Amino acid sequence: MEALNKSFFLFLASRPSLDRFAKRWGSKFGADKIVGGESFEHAVPLIQSLNSQGLRVTVDHLGEFVASEAEARERTLECLQTIRMISAHDLNSQLSLKVTSLGLDINHDLVWENMIQIMDEARKYDVFVTIDMEDSSRTQATLDLYKALKKQYSNIGTVIQSYLYRSDQDLDDLNEVKPNLRLVKGAYKESAEVAFPAKSDVDHNLKLLIKKHLLNGNYTAIASHDDAIIQYTKELVREHGISKDQFEFQMLYGMRSERQLELLSEGYTVRVYMPYGNDWYGYFMRRLAERPANIAFALNGLLKK
């Protein structure tokens, strides 16, 4: 049943007609409960509120798979403006981005030029940037781009997905650059040729990746709402004497807010992933596909006035 639910929501995520409908009626379907607003300006007071509670943030302008160079440059300008506003408002926030939105599928020189602009601005304003990971067909290109940028910039990280068979080897390959990584289960529809079909294997592999990356001495963001994964991390760091300064927990904006504050009260660093923009539909469907409990959350948000 869980696999069926995941396939169903990932199928819905790929429907352009539903995406157009969602952009028009997003707030009616609870989008405002999981998205920080249609613009970064709308997100600023929400970030300030989270910061006042001690929570850190990373923001992501929703959207991917641009079709033209003009769109990619427009998305780049959005990232530059967001970096400047993070600094201007003195927000404890990082920036997350998808390189398909910056031209990865169009031209290598284009995405490189756009990333250099963003990273120069991020270094100027001391803002950390994470390159989000997308589907497996883009994994190698994304990691190649990250490794090249890491040679020039220290304030950059990326994401490894535990549902891919290749991820353990990717950790080994990246270790030479001492990467700052967000470790996640993964939320795209993938075939059994490249990804573990069973949730139990995905969970087990995430634990292995967390352990390897932490024991390699690298900064680790554990991005999961799963209490078993959180508890595993707590026990692991206690057993090996790993400092709380070497890792953080990350959770999605609007989900498990009480748990975020509980972890914060226990002395852990907690970062909230806050997307913004009106292109929220694909993001929302992937969240529903990731975790059955998110379906109940969404329905609850829909029925509440």
Side-chain angles (χ1 to χ4, degrees):
M1 180 60 71
E2 183 173 313
L4 181 62
N5 282 339
K6 181 171 184 176
S7 295
F8 175 68
F9 285 109
L10 290 177
F11 169 78
L12 292 181
S14 66
R15 301 298 91 189
S17 59
L18 293 176
D19 182 48
R20 290 191 295 270
F21 178 84
K23 286 179 181 178
R24 183 175 180 183
W25 300 103
S27 62
K28 298 292 185 182
F29 287 84
D32 56 342
K33 293 180 171 60
I34 62 166
V35 175
E38 292 191 358
S39 70
F40 188 71
E41 289 86 347
H42 291 133
V44 167
L46 300 176
I47 298 169
Q48 290 172 328
S49 176
L50 292 171
N51 286 169
S52 70
Q53 298 174 73
L55 296 163
R56 305 181 188 189
V57 175
T58 186
V59 295
D60 179 11
H61 184 230
L62 290 169
E64 49 200 290
F65 311 128
V66 300
S68 70
E69 181 176 324
E71 285 182 283
R73 295 194 185 282
E74 183 179 330
R75 294 295 179 88
T76 300
L77 291 175
E78 172 69 29
C79 290
L80 296 175
Q81 181 63 20
T82 297
I83 290 168
R84 295 171 191 136
M85 291 187 68
I86 287 173
S87 177
H89 290 279
D90 196 25
L91 303 174
N92 191 333
S93 180
Q94 298 179 354
L95 173 70
S96 293
L97 55 81
K98 291 179 173 59
V99 284
T100 53
S101 74
L102 305 177
L104 182 69
D105 295 346
I106 300 172
N107 182 286
H108 178 271
D109 291 339
L110 174 64
V111 71
W112 178 260
E113 178 187 335
N114 288 338
M115 279 301 304
I116 290 294
Q117 286 188 65
I118 291 167
M119 292 311 304
D120 283 346
E121 200 77 355
R123 181 160 58 188
K124 175 181 176 180
Y125 289 104
D126 194 24
V127 173
F128 192 88
V129 176
T130 296
I131 300 175
D132 284 340
M133 191 57 70
E134 302 176 68
D135 64 89
S136 62
S137 68
R138 297 170 175 87
T139 299
Q140 191 60 54
T142 301
L143 293 180
D144 289 345
L145 180 65
Y146 169 71
K147 288 181 74 172
L149 289 166
K150 187 68 167 62
K151 293 176 181 178
Q152 300 184 40
Y153 304 94
S154 60
N155 59 322
I156 189 168
T158 191
V159 178
I160 294 292
Q161 301 163 314
S162 72
Y163 68 173
L164 297 181
Y165 302 137
R166 60 174 291 165
S167 292
D168 182 67
Q169 184 61 51
D170 286 335
L171 275 194
D172 291 340
D173 293 343
L174 289 170
N175 192 50
E176 64 182 85
V177 299
K178 292 299 175 185
N180 180 317
L181 296 177
R182 177 192 300 152
L183 302 181
V184 304
K185 294 183 182 181
Y188 290 84
K189 186 174 178 59
E190 304 285 1
S191 76
E193 294 180 358
V194 299
F196 294 104
K199 179 182 180 298
S200 58
D201 291 331
V202 176
D203 292 352
H204 178 67
N205 198 39
L206 180 56
K207 291 178 180 178
L208 294 179
L209 296 176
I210 291 169
K211 182 175 183 178
K212 174 176 278 193
H213 197 52
L214 283 171
L215 293 183
N216 281 343
N218 299 316
Y219 194 85
T220 308
I222 299 95
S224 177
H225 296 158
D226 189 333
D227 282 323
I229 296 297
I230 293 169
Q231 185 60 33
Y232 170 80
T233 303
K234 289 181 177 181
E235 293 172 359
L236 177 71
V237 298
R238 279 198 296 268
E239 178 185 353
H240 293 278
I242 296 170
S243 169
K244 289 181 179 179
D245 293 336
Q246 194 189 320
F247 69 97
E248 64 185 50
F249 293 109
Q250 294 189 1
M251 293 187 182
L252 301 173
Y253 172 68
M255 296 188 182
R256 304 215 66 189
S257 300
E258 290 184 4
R259 187 71 174 111
Q260 295 170 19
L261 294 175
E262 287 175 5
L263 289 168
L264 189 67
S265 70
E266 294 169 8
Y268 297 103
T269 299
V270 181
R271 189 174 305 278
V272 178
Y273 183 98
M274 179 186 288
Y276 71 94
N278 67 355
D279 196 8
W280 62 274
Y281 175 73
Y283 165 81
F284 191 30
M285 289 299 109
R286 287 196 294 273
R287 299 295 79 77
L288 297 185
E290 274 181 319
R291 187 168 179 262
N294 290 347
I295 301 171
F297 171 87
L299 290 174
N300 186 51
L302 172 60
L303 296 173
K304 279 186 175 181
K305 292 184 177 181

